Amino acid sequence: MKKRVFSGIQPTGNIHIGNYLAAIKYWVASQAEFDSIFCIVDLHAITLPQEPNVLKSKIREVAGLLFAAGIDPKLSKVFVQSHIGAHAELTWILNCFTPIGWMQRMTQFKQKLQEQQEQVSVGLFDYPALMAADILLYDTDLVPVGEDQKQHVELTRDVAQRFNSIYGETFKLPEPLIPETGSRIMGLDDPTKKMSKSEASSGHAINLLDSPEAIRAKIMRATTDSLREVRFDENRPGIYNLLVIYELFTGLSRPDIEARFEGKGYADFKQELAEVIIDNLRPLQSRYREFTADPTYIDSLLAEGASRARPLAEKTLAIVKNKVGLG
Ligand code: TYM
């Protein structure tokens, strides 16, 4: 039996190289080894205000990017969260087993609460319970994510354990799978802040669909420091972040990279980094154009993905409802 992998991505903002290097790249690389399910989490997206037409088109864009990056719709199940009603239904049941105090400790929620007090909805507060439902519906073994999602996967385990202790063995306990390098790619304009899809500043992130000109401009403008030695030093967050991106795209070792730029300055390094990113994204971008030439094709792949995932989700939900005494 292959281990089950489940992960998700929000169809909001622009998918960037942080999403790619920490998550999507691993989803692609491991899909033959694992039984993989990938979810475009539109119900999570509406925990913050969204423009309806933009959300609809982003769902297709993210799907197109996943397929273009190499997710094989025959090997992996790729679907849209709202297409399988069991996600919302299990969330409600889990809500009733999740102490408020656990949710109040979630750092992502606390940050968002600070940033936009009045706008914060009950849905945003409940975001981790929906994520727990996503994961637990599919008897998931492994959840490949970036570092920022670790706490949510840990909460999922806690909720599952609590439910299991009341009703007996029901949910499998999932493990987060977080890459050693690149699990937290930082913003180019501010290397003390995580690269984020929702950040509006144009120099913040390299998006997977950025043109070569945009990539060159963003990398050349990326914040570094006043030193000039190109070296992996975590105390110099700007150049360190760029070096990690270079390392992940080239697969070269750190000593090899440092030797390559020995005696050269940041400008030389940045120029080469920009070309490395452009070369790596080029095939993905051209496959994206092929996949999206006919929008009904993406829709049909997503419908097929949902029809393969739905029976798994419904089976778990039926077991849970029965245990709780519903219906
Ligand atoms: P989302 O859409 O914010 O991000 C998708 C994936 O990209 C990772 N990531 C990053 N990794 C490294 N550096 C960064 N700067 C960076 N920014 C984002 C995220 O960790 C994630 O792996 N809540 C999730 C989606 C979700 C989910 C799930 C994930 C919903 N249900 C169930 C796993 C399992 C989210 O908002 O990801």
Side-chain angles (χ1 to χ4, degrees):
M1 276 280 279
K2 284 183 177 178
K3 285 199 171 176
R4 166 79 42 79
V5 156
F6 182 97
S7 202
I9 186 162
Q10 288 199 62
T12 50
N14 292 311
I15 306 297
H16 54 64
I17 56 172
N19 304 126
Y20 178 74
L21 294 172
I24 300 172
K25 198 179 91 174
Y26 292 94
W27 303 354
V28 172
S30 67
Q31 59 183 338
E33 182 185 350
F34 299 120
D35 174 6
S36 300
I37 306 180
F38 302 115
C39 185
I40 300 167
V41 296
D42 55 348
L43 296 174
H44 278 109
I46 61 163
T47 58
L48 291 174
Q50 303 295 336
E51 180 62 46
N53 288 329
V54 176
L55 179 58
K56 278 193 183 169
S57 72
K58 282 285 166 189
I59 291 169
R60 282 163 191 85
E61 181 182 304
V62 173
L65 281 170
L66 294 182
F67 296 130
I71 301 287
D72 178 342
K74 296 244 160 6
L75 273 179
S76 301
K77 299 174 186 71
V78 180
F79 70 96
V80 180
Q81 192 181 32
S82 66
H83 292 181
I84 300 186
H87 288 247
E89 213 174 327
L90 181 62
T91 303
W92 180 255
I93 298 173
L94 296 181
N95 279 339
C96 301
F97 294 87
T98 309
I100 285 193
W102 291 6
M103 301 285 263
Q104 281 167 334
R105 282 202 288 276
M106 295 294 108
T107 45
Q108 248 186 23
F109 175 71
K110 286 196 284 191
Q111 261 165 19
K112 295 232 165 87
L113 188 63
Q114 260 176 4
E115 285 160 18
Q116 36 202 332
Q117 300 239 342
E118 314 86 74
Q119 280 184 39
V120 165
S121 65
V122 176
L124 188 71
F125 180 64
D126 204 30
Y127 183 112
L130 177 57
M131 193 162 150
D134 295 341
I135 296 169
L136 297 177
L137 275 174
Y138 298 97
D139 291 330
T140 302
D141 295 290
L142 300 166
V143 187
V145 281
E147 218 268 324
D148 61 336
Q149 298 302 319
K150 186 168 179 229
Q151 196 186 29
H152 292 154
V153 181
E154 282 163 358
L155 178 94
T156 302
R157 289 173 63 89
D158 291 343
V159 174
Q161 249 164 339
R162 189 182 169 100
F163 191 96
N164 289 352
S165 73
I166 301 171
Y167 294 105
E169 211 51 35
T170 310
F171 295 123
K172 198 178 248 186
L173 300 188
E175 299 277 354
L177 201 64
I178 296 171
E180 258 174 49
T181 306
S183 65
R184 194 173 172 82
I185 300 289
M186 309 308 278
L188 300 179
D189 54 345
D190 180 356
T192 62
K193 272 176 70 190
K194 185 190 76 168
M195 188 177 281
S196 157
K197 283 197 226 101
S198 50
E199 177 67 51
S201 144
S202 70
H204 174 75
I206 304 277
N207 303 318
L208 296 189
L209 293 175
D210 273 350
S211 67
E213 298 72 41
I215 294 172
R216 284 189 197 106
K218 288 178 184 180
I219 293 293
M220 295 316 287
R221 267 191 286 133
T223 303
T224 48
D225 51 53
S226 54
L227 302 169
R228 48 168 291 130
E229 211 187 345
V230 181
R231 206 158 47 78
F232 283 87
D233 174 358
E234 291 191 49
N235 297 318
R236 293 195 267 148
I239 192 72
Y240 181 77
N241 187 43
L242 296 180
L243 278 163
V244 167
I245 295 171
Y246 186 93
E247 178 188 10
L248 292 169
F249 273 122
T250 59
L252 293 174
S253 73
R254 293 188 174 192
D256 284 352
I257 296 169
E258 289 179 346
R260 189 179 177 92
F261 294 101
E262 179 95 57
K264 295 187 182 164
Y266 288 176
D268 290 326
F269 166 68
K270 282 176 159 184
Q271 266 161 16
E272 191 172 325
L273 173 62
E275 298 314 311
V276 161
I277 299 174
I278 292 165
D279 287 348
N280 272 272
L281 295 186
R282 191 176 291 118
L284 182 152
Q285 294 183 347
S286 75
R287 278 198 302 271
Y288 176 80
R289 283 190 289 274
E290 286 163 27
F291 265 106
T292 50
D294 171 8
T296 62
Y297 181 53
I298 296 276
D299 286 349
S300 70
L301 293 178
L302 291 173
E304 170 73 19
S307 69
R308 286 165 61 216
R310 193 175 291 108
L312 303 172
E314 286 180 347
K315 184 169 169 228
T316 307
L317 182 65
I319 293 170
V320 171
K321 286 170 86 171
N322 183 45
K323 289 208 174 178
V324 174
L326 296 174

